[in-house]
Amino acid sequence: MEKKEINYENVGKRIGKGFTSDVFMYTDDKGYEVALKFFKRKIKVCNCGIPKIIDFDEKMQKNKEEKLKLLDKDICMMDDPKPFDLLYDENLGLVGYTMEYSDLPTLEDCRWDSKRKKLILLKKLRERVEELNRNGIYIGDFYSDDNFLVDDNGEIKFLDIDNFNVHGLDFDLSNPYIDNYFERNKKINNVDNYMFNLYTLSFYSRVIMPRLLLSIQEDGIPHRFNTKENHELINDMLTKKNYEKRYILDSQKKGLF
């Protein structure tokens, strides 16, 4: 990736709004229309319901810069929307990066699809997560369906890659589930399996991730996954130290859709 000065006159319409950034159309210095991920300077987070403001400081900027440079060259990311240039403001430092624009649907667009199709998509997502993990890359944040694209063949592509843990360069921001994992687990190895299991319940039952644990307490887990093995798995995930990797998807009731 090249380092370039941002041209604010080339920033177009906003096409996405996120927790840590906004996404705009942008005309690069070669005249191509690309997507611009523009980082927020102040990031509002909540810890146990208590709001907190995190600055997009020099340390976070450097972490994102190094991760994006590595991901740009990583072979397991070659089929995902490609990052192009790191953009800087002379007074602010790193302000964002350009990337290939994609109009593919996201998993958010698939939340109301049939249960059969959602199970297929979850298996496809699992394949990609496993591929990244084998290459020392961890997603961590499964909070937003909009971070996962679905191509015409049903394959999963990744957005929001700058918050990944990449070869030991840490996540920039956490969430309550990641915090829960690291309270009882020292190694990162199984964090994506842990998060993927929670996301499986969220996506399949159409319950947003922040409300998932309350939904499990009130309504139980979806009938298809309501097995002895999965009850034990969820209990282990939420209470035991040194969580051992296994999948909710692998313990289903048969013949139900």
Side-chain angles (χ1 to χ4, degrees):
M1 299 181 73
E2 293 187 43
K3 295 183 178 182
K4 297 183 178 180
E5 190 77 11
I6 188 170
N7 185 339
Y8 288 106
E9 293 182 357
N10 288 357
V11 179
K13 68 177 182 178
R14 186 170 67 184
I15 57 175
K17 186 176 182 180
F19 186 57
T20 62
S21 63
D22 292 323
V23 183
F24 299 88
M25 292 304 298
Y26 184 77
T27 305
D28 69 13
D29 56 358
K30 297 178 181 178
Y32 293 112
E33 290 293 307
V34 296
L36 163 64
K37 184 167 185 180
F38 192 82
F39 298 123
K40 296 178 180 179
R41 310 315 293 183
K42 303 282 186 181
I43 304 168
K44 185 178 180 180
V45 299
C46 286
N47 188 1
C48 298
I50 301 173
K52 178 182 178 181
I53 301 297
I54 296 177
D55 291 321
F56 184 57
D57 58 14
E58 185 176 346
K59 181 180 178 181
M60 190 181 296
Q61 292 179 36
K62 185 67 174 177
N63 196 46
K64 285 188 179 294
E65 177 183 311
E66 294 303 315
K67 290 191 294 183
L68 286 165
K69 288 178 180 178
L70 290 172
L71 290 169
D72 180 43
K73 300 175 182 178
D74 201 300
I75 192 169
C76 71
M77 302 294 297
M78 291 300 176
D79 292 330
D80 298 283
K82 180 176 176 57
F84 293 135
D85 299 317
L86 295 162
L87 297 187
Y88 294 80
D89 180 295
E90 61 180 353
N91 297 314
L92 299 174
L94 179 69
V95 293
Y97 64 98
T98 58
M99 61 185 298
E100 178 184 356
Y101 170 73
S102 174
D103 60 359
L104 290 173
T106 69
L107 286 182
E108 173 66 27
D109 300 313
C110 303
R111 278 234 165 195
W112 295 93
D113 286 351
S114 70
K115 293 178 178 178
R116 181 188 295 272
K117 182 176 179 181
K118 286 195 288 186
L119 287 172
I120 293 172
L121 289 171
L122 285 166
K123 290 176 181 178
K124 291 289 188 180
L125 177 58
R126 174 168 66 176
E127 291 175 6
R128 287 301 320 274
V129 172
E130 291 276 4
E131 179 187 17
L132 263 62
N133 290 175
R134 287 193 298 270
N135 286 274
I137 301 170
Y138 298 89
I139 298 168
D141 186 2
F142 285 73
Y143 257 42
S144 176
D145 299 318
D146 288 332
N147 291 339
F148 308 111
L149 300 172
V150 184
D151 72 9
D152 294 339
N153 297 316
E155 302 295 332
I156 304 297
K157 313 293 183 184
F158 293 121
L159 295 175
D160 202 34
I161 62 176
D162 54 273
N163 195 45
F164 288 0
N165 181 301
V166 182
H167 305 308
L169 295 170
D170 205 1
F171 306 117
D172 295 292
L173 293 175
S174 185
N175 63 52
Y177 294 131
I178 294 176
D179 293 342
N180 183 276
Y181 174 86
F182 282 113
E183 283 175 5
R184 288 169 289 101
N185 299 272
K186 294 182 179 180
K187 295 183 178 180
I188 195 173
N189 305 53
N190 295 328
V191 68
D192 275 356
N193 172 256
Y194 177 94
M195 291 298 299
F196 177 83
N197 279 333
L198 295 171
Y199 183 74
T200 294
L201 299 177
S202 168
F203 182 67
Y204 187 83
S205 60
R206 299 194 296 266
V207 175
I208 60 173
M209 286 286 282
R211 197 184 181 279
L212 181 63
L213 293 186
L214 181 61
S215 174
I216 291 173
Q217 292 173 5
E218 292 179 346
D219 306 319
I221 63 177
H223 185 61
R224 183 169 191 88
F225 302 116
N226 190 9
T227 64
K228 177 183 177 182
E229 292 84 357
N230 281 335
H231 278 282
E232 292 175 351
L233 170 53
I234 292 171
N235 180 70
D236 288 353
M237 287 172 59
L238 300 178
T239 64
K240 290 190 175 181
K241 292 183 178 181
N242 301 318
Y243 166 69
E244 296 181 1
K245 176 180 174 180
R246 56 235 204 249
Y247 284 102
I248 283 175
L249 278 178
D250 290 339
S251 296
Q252 300 180 35
K253 292 187 175 181
K254 305 298 182 182
L256 298 175
F257 286 98

